[in-house]
Amino acid sequence: MSDMLRDAASKGYAVPCFNAINLDMVRGIIQAAEEECSPVIICHAEIHFKYTPLEKIAPILVAEMNAARVPVAVLLDHGKSFDAVLKAMQLGFNAVMFDGSEYGYEENVSKTAEIVKIAKTFDVSVEGELGYVTRPRGGGAEGEDEDSIVSDTSLYTDPEQACDFAERTGVDALAVAFGTVHGVYLKEPKLELDRLSRIRALTDVPLVMHGGSGLSRGDFEQSIQGGIAKVNYYTNMALKVAERLRVQWSGEASRIFYHDLMMASIHEFREDARQVMKMLGSSRRA
Ligand code: 13P
């Protein structure tokens, strides 16, 4: 992942990172990457273990990564516990995100630095998070926070701290908060691009945007210019594909076979992932 992101940062595009909770999603995403000739990161988030346990999906992700005709990285997304992070490394993930954003600054630094030390022995890339990318209540399947804190800029990443954090932890990528939110945007997103540029100016670690769903092509272009090299995206894909299948089958034949649903899902995941790759400029970069 580290090599992919360094290439993206130096050439002015971003690598898409999709959450995938089952084989249909993984197949759609890899097909999209192969058709677009795009590098891609596939991730599984600790918050999604309740749908698909890590041990069940890890062998699928690793096998698909190894068989793909384009560069693929497999990342643990928002690892909150040492247990999950260690398990992901042992199961063959080549990247992990340790999300220490809910801790105080010094605790986030020390825990992340410890993960980086362990990850080096596995040759695994590490993403950290500084600042807090929130999730509006009612805005996503796992809504947990109050709407009011979405625009609380005190949760955004402090540029000087980002520089200190990157140096002291040795992370390969840094997730930053500058106005994006996880889940569905309940208000028009307002990105603080100046803040992003200041972070970029003070640290050369590739920067990561979480909450990619619902942003415009212009938002992506400006964020990439501001230093974003990886974009995490899930909510739109999960909602759009389910909605398209609902419309496709409403009022249709009384019998719907699961295998038809499965093939249609893979097709829809692929088409959505392709659109994202085009917007991020990752097509033809593999
Ligand atoms: P969205 O679900 O808002 O697209 O964000 C995905 C994400 O950031 C996962 O880490």
Side-chain angles (χ1 to χ4, degrees), residues 19 77-78 181-184 209-213 232-236:
N19 294 80
D77 189 32
H78 290 287
V181 297
H182 290 108
V184 176
M209 170 199 279
H210 281 252
S213 294
N232 280 35
Y233 178 95
Y234 172 72
T235 296
N236 248 25

Side-chain angles (χ1 to χ4, degrees), residues 59-113:
I60 294 172
L61 292 175
V62 172
E64 293 289 324
M65 167 173 73
N66 292 335
R69 287 182 272 118
V70 289
V72 177
V74 168
L75 166 89
L76 172 75
D77 189 32
H78 290 287
K80 302 258 186 188
S81 62
F82 268 55
D83 190 41
V85 171
L86 276 176
K87 207 182 270 175
M89 294 189 216
Q90 285 159 350
L91 288 167
F93 281 48
N94 55 10
V96 291
M97 175 192 189
F98 176 68
D99 177 359
S101 62
E102 283 164 19
Y103 295 109
Y105 180 65
E106 285 301 328
E107 210 171 343
N108 189 2
V109 169
S110 63
K111 285 188 185 326
T112 307

